[in-house]
Amino acid sequence: MHKFNRHEYVLTLPDMVKALFQKISYLDFDSILVNGKVPSSAGKEFSQYIPEEISKEIKFQILNRLTDPERGFVVVRNFVPKNSTVKEKIFYASIICSFIGRQFKVIESTKLWNPLGVNLEKKSHESEGVGYNCVHIDVPNTTKIPEITCLFCDTPDFNKGGKTIVSNILKLLSLLSPDDIDICKSKVFYEGKHFGLINVGEEYMPFPIIESEYGKLYFRFSGIMIEVLHIYRKLII
């Protein structure tokens, strides 16, 4: 068994993973999408380059962090070989994703990996906005929110970054009062617009923040809700 650095939420892959990835012929994932989804068979061709023991260990280490109630997220590092092009970097990121699930895009007009733009005219909580952005879930106004959302960071922040808030949802839930929980379970919340989306079901508005189905808890939340929570309180109480 190969040693993986297990420091809280960070998963630093051993150098040999980069060496294995470099042997794999480049594949344009966008060229094989079917209805915006990567075919389930796509990952099988990587097996001839990556031993099953390695792929299973990577999958375990990632899912172990994602399903940990104390975390729920993971930062994967050290998987991109040096001198890789942007296309190759995205390709390697897609290989990592193929270990843990089936990839799909949610915006029909974009590629599988949608570049995040910068628009100084946008508010910080809006797409392409810059500045403080509360923790949120993408496409909360749909019936089938993605179980995992992936973000590939290529260029370091020249301002050396800022504070990032990642919330432990279950812990936050335990801190809410019964009245607040009732509000969060009420279908009174609106967020964004529903158009040009794919693979995330139908429009779901108004929606609840907390919803249970088949023994699972689902959370739909956007940072702007903090600013307007007092409005929702008046709607319920």
Side-chain angles (χ1 to χ4, degrees):
M1 186 66 68
H2 296 270
K3 292 183 179 180
F4 288 76
N5 175 24
R6 194 176 190 281
H7 175 65
E8 295 184 353
Y9 56 84
V10 177
L11 174 60
T12 301
L13 301 181
D15 290 337
M16 53 85 62
V17 172
K18 291 190 293 186
L20 292 172
F21 280 12
Q22 205 161 19
K23 296 179 181 180
I24 304 176
S25 300
Y26 172 76
L27 170 65
D28 180 5
F29 274 82
D30 285 290
S31 67
I32 62 173
L33 293 179
V34 178
N35 296 324
K37 298 179 180 179
V38 174
S40 56
S41 59
K44 293 181 179 179
E45 59 186 83
F46 305 141
S47 60
Q48 59 181 311
Y49 302 99
I50 305 173
E52 185 178 6
E53 173 191 0
I54 300 298
S55 61
K56 283 187 175 180
E57 181 68 10
I58 294 175
K59 178 179 180 179
F60 169 78
Q61 295 290 350
I62 292 177
L63 292 180
N64 185 50
R65 289 163 171 78
L66 290 176
T67 56
D68 187 336
E70 294 297 320
R71 288 190 282 264
F73 71 101
V74 60
V75 176
V76 182
R77 293 176 176 165
N78 198 43
F79 63 89
V80 176
K82 290 183 178 180
N83 302 318
S84 298
T85 65
V86 174
K87 286 185 177 181
E88 288 172 338
K89 291 176 181 179
I90 294 175
F91 168 60
Y92 298 132
S94 292
I95 294 177
I96 293 291
C97 292
S98 70
F99 291 149
I100 60 173
R102 187 177 181 184
Q103 303 165 77
F104 60 87
K105 62 180 184 178
V106 300
I107 302 177
E108 191 168 16
S109 61
T110 67
K111 293 184 177 182
L112 181 62
W113 291 85
N114 182 30
L116 295 179
V118 174
N119 187 339
L120 299 180
E121 302 298 321
K122 291 287 191 72
K123 296 180 180 179
S124 61
H125 67 269
E126 295 179 343
S127 176
E128 299 184 343
V130 179
Y132 178 74
N133 191 353
C134 292
V135 62
H136 64 279
I137 294 174
D138 287 338
V139 292
N141 56 0
T142 62
T143 55
K144 296 181 180 179
I145 52 178
E147 293 188 357
I148 301 173
T149 300
C150 301
L151 174 67
F152 176 69
C153 301
D154 182 34
T155 305
D157 186 345
F158 296 111
N159 292 323
K160 298 183 179 180
K163 294 182 179 179
T164 299
I165 299 175
V166 178
S167 293
N168 183 328
I169 297 295
L170 294 180
K171 186 174 182 179
L172 287 175
L173 185 61
S174 68
L175 298 176
L176 293 177
S177 69
D179 287 342
D180 285 336
I181 291 178
D182 286 341
I183 292 175
C184 290
K185 288 183 177 180
S186 302
K187 295 182 180 180
V188 296
F189 297 93
Y190 290 82
E191 171 60 17
K193 299 178 181 179
H194 188 288
F195 63 91
L197 301 180
I198 186 174
N199 297 318
V200 288
E202 304 299 325
E203 178 176 312
Y204 186 25
M205 287 197 289
F207 58 85
I209 291 178
I210 303 173
E211 188 172 37
S212 60
E213 184 179 11
Y214 304 115
K216 293 183 178 181
L217 279 177
Y218 293 91
F219 296 88
R220 293 177 169 83
F221 186 79
S222 178
I224 194 175
M225 293 179 181
I226 293 178
E227 301 176 16
V228 296
L229 185 59
H230 65 284
I231 298 177
Y232 292 115
R233 285 180 180 275
K234 292 179 180 178
L235 291 175
I236 304 298
I237 300 176

